[in-house]
Amino acid sequence: MGKVTLFFKDVFTNLYRGAILFYQKKGTTLASSSSFYALITVVPFILLMVRGVGYFLGNLNRTQKYLFIIGEQFFPEVAPELLLKVQLLIKGPLFAGTNFTLLNFIFLAVTTLTFLNSIWMGIFFITGDKNILSLWKILKGFVIIGMTLLMIGLIFILPPIIIFIIKFVQTNYLTRFIYDNFEFLRPLLNFLLNINLKKSYWLNSNTLHITVLIAYFTALYRWLFLWKIEMKEAFVAAMAFSVSVFLGKSLFWIYIYYVREGLMRNYGDFYTSVVGVVWLFYLMCFFYYGACVCHVYKERRELGVVQ
C-alpha cells in the first residue's frame, strides 16, 4: 500500500512540476503557434486520414462519417456546427473522383508536415534538445502520420473483431472442451462467457475509443521524446492530456453557456468558428502540458531521480 501511495504522490508532484514548466516555457505561446498551423492544415490532414484508412476499408463515406464521430469526443457540445462545416468542406475534394495514389498521399502528408514541424519546434523550446530538430524530423513526421493512421484504423476494426471473438467463444462447441481440459484458461473463458454484448458498457460506449486514444498518445509522447522516458511515464502524460481534455470540455461548456449571447451578438454567424478556434487553442495547451510532464520525467531520469 505504501508503494502505491508513493507512486501517486510522485505522479502528482510531476504533474505539478509540469504545470510550472508549462508556465515558464510560455506554453500558451507554443499552443498559439501550433493552433495556427493546425487551422491551415486541417483539411489536408483530414483528407489524408480519410483516404488512408478508407483505402483499406474501401468505404470513404463511412470512414469520414466515423472519423467525425470520433472528433466529436474532443470538441465541446456547444459548437457541433463547426465539425459539420469542416465535414462539408472536405466532401468536395474527397469525392471529386481523384484516385488514391502514392503521389496523392505524399502531397497530403507533406502539407500535414507543416503542422508537425510546429510540434517539433514546440518540443524543442520545452526541452532544448537539438536532436529533435535533426534532419530525421521529416521521417519522424511520416512515422507520426503512420501511427495516427494505425490508431484510427484500430478504432474502426477493433470493436467488430472483439465482438466476433466473444461470439465465437460463447457459441462454439470447442469452448467446453477447452474449459474442461485447460484449467489455466478457465478465468479468461469465464470472463468472456459472462459478457453481455448488448449491455457491455465497454463495447457500447466510447470507452474502447478512449482506451485506444490513450495508448496512441502514450506511444506518441515516447516517440516525441526519442524514447528517453519510460512507458509508464509517457502513460502519465497521456492521461494528463486526456483528463485535461474531458475536464476542459465540461468547464468550457459552462464558460460558453454564460458568454454565448455576447459571442453571438459580436460575431454573428462566425460564433461557432470563434468557439472552435478557442477550443483548438486549449487542446494544444493540454498537449504541450503533457509534453512538459514528459520533460520533467526525462530530466529526473537523467539526474538519476527515478521511482
Side-chain angles (χ1 to χ4, degrees):
M1 190 67 180
K3 290 183 178 180
V4 175
T5 303
L6 186 63
F7 171 76
F8 280 106
K9 182 179 179 181
D10 183 66
V11 167
F12 286 116
T13 299
N14 290 322
L15 291 176
Y16 172 74
R17 289 175 176 172
I20 298 298
L21 181 63
F22 178 84
Y23 173 76
Q24 293 174 342
K25 294 292 184 176
K26 310 298 181 184
T28 53
T29 303
L30 300 178
S32 299
S33 173
S34 293
S35 298
F36 169 76
Y37 284 105
L39 286 172
I40 64 176
T41 59
V42 62
V43 173
F45 177 74
I46 295 175
L47 284 172
L48 179 66
M49 294 300 107
V50 174
R51 286 191 175 277
V53 178
Y55 177 78
F56 294 99
L57 297 181
N59 191 328
L60 288 179
N61 189 45
R62 177 174 174 270
T63 302
Q64 61 93 13
K65 286 181 179 178
Y66 198 64
L67 189 65
F68 278 94
I69 291 174
I70 297 170
E72 288 177 357
Q73 307 306 314
F74 288 92
F75 270 77
E77 295 179 0
V78 293
E81 298 90 349
L82 181 66
L83 289 176
L84 292 175
K85 289 179 180 178
V86 176
Q87 190 173 11
L88 290 173
L89 190 62
I90 72 161
K91 278 188 176 181
L94 184 63
F95 299 110
T98 305
N99 293 326
F100 183 87
T101 63
L102 180 60
L103 182 62
N104 181 269
F105 175 85
I106 293 175
F107 175 78
L108 292 173
V110 169
T111 307
T112 302
L113 287 176
T114 306
F115 167 65
L116 295 178
N117 184 62
S118 74
I119 297 294
W120 291 123
M121 291 300 299
I123 300 297
F124 168 70
F125 282 122
I126 291 173
T127 64
D129 187 354
K130 293 183 178 179
N131 291 326
I132 290 174
L133 300 181
S134 65
L135 294 175
W136 290 100
K137 67 178 182 178
I138 296 177
L139 179 60
K140 294 172 185 175
F142 278 101
V143 172
I144 292 175
I145 290 172
M147 289 168 57
T148 307
L149 287 169
L150 178 61
M151 180 269 294
I152 295 174
L154 286 175
I155 289 177
F156 270 88
I157 66 176
L158 270 182
I161 289 177
I162 293 173
I163 291 172
F164 173 79
I165 293 174
I166 293 173
K167 283 185 176 180
F168 179 82
V169 171
Q170 292 179 345
T171 59
N172 197 282
Y173 69 93
L174 288 176
T175 302
R176 173 52 59 183
F177 173 80
I178 296 173
Y179 188 92
D180 292 337
N181 293 276
F182 298 93
E183 186 175 349
F184 69 96
L185 289 175
R186 288 179 184 176
L188 175 61
L189 290 174
N190 282 327
F191 173 75
L192 294 176
L193 290 170
N194 290 324
I195 293 177
N196 187 325
L197 292 175
K198 293 183 178 179
K199 296 182 179 180
S200 173
Y201 177 80
W202 191 66
L203 289 173
N204 295 301
S205 68
N206 292 318
T207 307
L208 181 58
H209 297 165
I210 294 170
T211 302
V212 174
L213 286 170
I214 291 174
Y216 166 75
F217 280 103
T218 299
L220 180 62
Y221 277 128
R222 280 205 77 191
W223 176 258
L224 290 174
F225 280 81
L226 310 177
W227 308 101
K228 293 180 180 179
I229 57 175
E230 294 294 323
M231 185 66 76
K232 65 180 180 181
E233 296 164 349
F235 174 75
V236 170
M239 285 298 298
F241 169 75
S242 302
V243 171
S244 297
V245 169
F246 292 105
L247 284 179
K249 280 178 62 177
S250 300
L251 295 175
F252 193 76
W253 185 92
I254 295 173
Y255 168 73
I256 293 298
Y257 178 81
Y258 286 103
V259 301
R260 183 199 300 262
E261 291 185 3
L263 287 172
M264 293 182 69
R265 185 169 55 252
N266 292 327
Y267 296 102
D269 293 338
F270 292 101
Y271 151 68
T272 54
S273 298
V274 173
V275 171
V277 171
V278 172
W279 178 245
L280 179 61
F281 165 73
Y282 282 123
L283 280 180
M284 295 311 307
C285 285
F286 299 148
F287 174 80
Y288 280 118
Y289 169 61
C292 288
V293 173
C294 288
H295 185 56
V296 169
Y297 274 114
K298 176 174 171 286
E299 283 190 322
R300 284 164 57 85
R301 186 161 293 282
E302 289 174 347
L303 293 173
V305 184
V306 294
Q307 293 294 327

